[in-house]
Amino acid sequence: MNQQDLIISLPILIVSTFAVIVMVLDALVKNSTKLCTSVSVIGLLLTLASAFMNINLTGIAMNGMVKTSSYSIIFDFVFCIAGIITILSAKNYFEKFNGILDEFYTIVLMSISGMLIISHSNDLIMIFIGIEIMSICFYVLTGIIKKDLKGNESSVKYFLLGAFATGFLMYGIALLYGSFGSTNFTQISANFFEKYSLLTICGFSLIIIGFSFKVGIFPFHQWVPDVYEGAPTIVTGFMSTAGKAAAFSGFVGVMSVIYPKLNSTDLTLVIAILSAITMLSGNILALSQTNIKRMLAYSSISHAGYALMGIASGNKMGYIGVLYYMCSYLFMQLGAFVLIGNLENIKGEYIQVKDYIGLGKTNPVIALILSLFMLSLLGIPPFAGFFGKYYLFLSAIDSGRTWLAIVSVISSIISAWFYLGIIVNMFFKSNESSLEQARVINYSKLVLGVLVSGSLVIGFIPELILSWTK
């Protein structure tokens, strides 16, 4: 390992090292929750610092297996911020369910190491390793409350369907290796025209199917509502933001190898159609949901469709749009789940949409914060969600797919029904027994402050992210 290898791989090395350190501390120290929390946050802050040091660095390391650029570094920020927020929110959440299991911190850190590997991959094998590390951690996190039968069921479903999707991904990688004699992006790109064949098309098609499952694209989305509902709420927020961002970073990495080398009109049309169906189906199915976690799960499917517009566009603006959308989605989606997790109790209250009737009268601050996240998810200016959708719409129009932008606008109009429905319940309906004791405690006040600030800052100052990606 030379100096460049070390510098480029430093974020991955730091978070992986701290995952092991936290695991050892959990084994050796009694009542180690506070210690594990502190060490985990320190590890992620150091990972953030090392990533920031590389923000203007572009290069390849580890014999061409790992790469870095400002694009992948900003994804690193998303993963680490999501991890810090999840860890700080976890203790308060799990105390309502007979206490936290300290292995939670190790698993979260290890899942982030997998995400970092995905975003920095310059090889299909590295992408596969990163996805598997992340996915296995998610299977465990989904069922981490052992006495929760719904969580256990969701964990098993996620594992079985995830293993099925992994088969598609691995088979696609095998076919590309058979076609090009390599899994390295640089070598595939260099030999693309020389060795392009039907085998190549099949390989890339299977890889797209594998990624479609990971991000919840129609028709590979059926696992999303069950898993998101059954998982602990704080875990659901982490999976639906950091996990989705990681999968999209790998998706962009693979597709950016194809598009510059091929007139991919047919391929982009297929992806554009999948994007349109995903947006519409997610929002239409969300309309009938009475459970707020399932509603946000179907909403998450539609947001995957929005982000897929950037990949279907196949242009620079599209890739920037995907990155910007994942950054804005982090704050608005994770903010909604953190707040819901704070309100949720062991009796299952605050999970149904009707439970939020009258919240604006009894707890106006909490209701106002939740409204902000709902408006941002809807895409109302000047919140972060608006500019996220704007850049994706722009990329679709620039690529000649104006019809896709129109579908996305229609889809956003449909989503107004359930996002604004939550706000209507909170401020324009009343219930004598509604949520009078709901409150936000301890770390969560700081966490929600960061999430609200992030959603506003990214919305008001989009250049903060765009200046790096351009």
Side-chain angles (χ1 to χ4, degrees), residues 40-104:
S40 299
V41 171
I42 290 170
L44 289 173
L45 288 174
L46 289 174
T47 305
L48 269 176
S50 65
F52 188 77
M53 286 167 44
N54 294 343
I55 190 66
N56 293 316
L57 179 65
T58 300
I60 296 176
M62 300 293 183
N63 293 321
M65 301 286 281
V66 178
K67 67 181 179 184
T68 192
S69 66
S70 60
Y71 196 86
S72 56
I73 291 296
I74 296 175
F75 272 113
D76 294 351
F77 292 167
V78 172
F79 309 148
C80 291
I81 292 171
I84 291 170
I85 290 170
T86 301
I87 287 168
L88 290 178
S89 305
K91 184 176 181 295
N92 292 333
Y93 178 82
F94 284 108
E95 278 179 349
K96 296 180 286 190
F97 302 93
N98 299 320
I100 192 169
L101 300 170
D102 290 337
E103 58 264 32
F104 173 86

Side-chain angles (χ1 to χ4, degrees), residues 63 81 118 252 343 355:
N63 293 321
I81 292 171
I118 297 170
V252 168
L343 300 178
D355 292 336

Side-chain angles (χ1 to χ4, degrees), residues 20-30 32 35-36 39:
V20 175
I21 291 172
V22 171
M23 181 172 62
V24 173
L25 290 175
D26 178 34
L28 298 181
V29 180
K30 291 184 178 180
S32 60
L35 180 61
C36 289
V39 174

Side-chain angles (χ1 to χ4, degrees), residues 201-447:
I201 298 173
C202 294
F204 276 120
S205 299
L206 290 173
I207 288 174
I208 290 171
I209 290 173
F211 275 115
S212 296
F213 174 88
K214 298 300 179 183
V215 298
I217 298 298
F218 180 92
F220 312 102
H221 65 287
Q222 291 92 339
W223 62 275
V224 174
D226 288 342
V227 172
Y228 282 17
E229 181 187 9
T233 303
I234 197 67
V235 172
T236 302
F238 181 60
M239 290 193 302
S240 66
T241 52
K244 192 181 293 290
F248 266 110
S249 71
F251 208 161
V252 168
V254 171
M255 299 311 293
S256 62
V257 174
I258 306 174
Y259 285 161
K261 296 291 180 181
L262 185 66
N263 182 10
S264 306
T265 304
D266 293 338
L267 179 60
T268 56
L269 179 60
V270 171
I271 295 177
I273 292 171
L274 289 177
S275 172
I277 297 174
T278 302
M279 288 185 284
L280 291 172
S281 62
N283 283 324
I284 291 171
L285 290 170
L287 291 173
S288 61
Q289 302 306 312
T290 57
N291 182 296
I292 196 167
K293 288 175 70 176
R294 287 188 73 88
M295 185 203 80
L296 288 174
Y298 281 111
S299 162
S300 176
I301 294 169
S302 68
H303 285 287
Y306 294 131
L308 194 62
M309 277 198 300
I311 295 177
S313 301
N315 52 33
K316 183 178 179 181
M317 179 55 71
Y319 297 146
I320 291 175
V322 171
L323 178 57
Y324 188 95
Y325 200 72
M326 289 297 106
C327 291
S328 59
Y329 189 66
L330 163 69
F331 292 101
M332 53 192 183
Q333 177 82 344
L334 189 53
F337 276 113
V338 167
L339 190 52
I340 293 166
N342 267 273
L343 300 178
E344 180 185 358
N345 59 32
I346 198 167
K347 297 178 182 178
E349 296 173 330
Y350 314 102
I351 291 298
Q352 301 300 317
V353 173
K354 66 180 180 181
D355 292 336
Y356 289 81
I357 294 176
L359 181 61
K361 297 179 180 178
T362 57
N363 295 274
V365 175
I366 295 177
L368 186 63
I369 293 172
L370 186 57
S371 298
L372 184 149
F373 293 135
M374 292 296 112
L375 291 173
S376 190
L377 285 165
L378 175 56
I380 298 295
F383 303 116
F386 168 76
F387 284 103
K389 289 183 179 178
Y390 169 76
Y391 290 118
L392 291 169
F393 295 167
L394 192 61
S395 71
I397 294 170
D398 286 347
S399 67
R401 301 201 186 280
T402 306
W403 65 269
L404 184 59
I406 294 172
V407 170
S408 64
V409 171
I410 294 171
S411 179
S412 296
I413 293 171
I414 294 171
S415 70
W417 177 266
F418 52 85
Y419 287 135
L420 296 181
I422 297 291
I423 298 175
V424 169
N425 278 350
M426 291 190 293
F427 290 102
F428 299 100
K429 294 183 180 180
S430 60
N431 185 346
E432 295 295 332
S433 60
S434 66
L435 311 182
E436 294 196 21
Q437 296 181 353
R439 59 195 180 96
V440 178
I441 55 176
N442 297 335
Y443 288 127
S444 298
K445 292 179 181 178
L446 171 63
V447 166

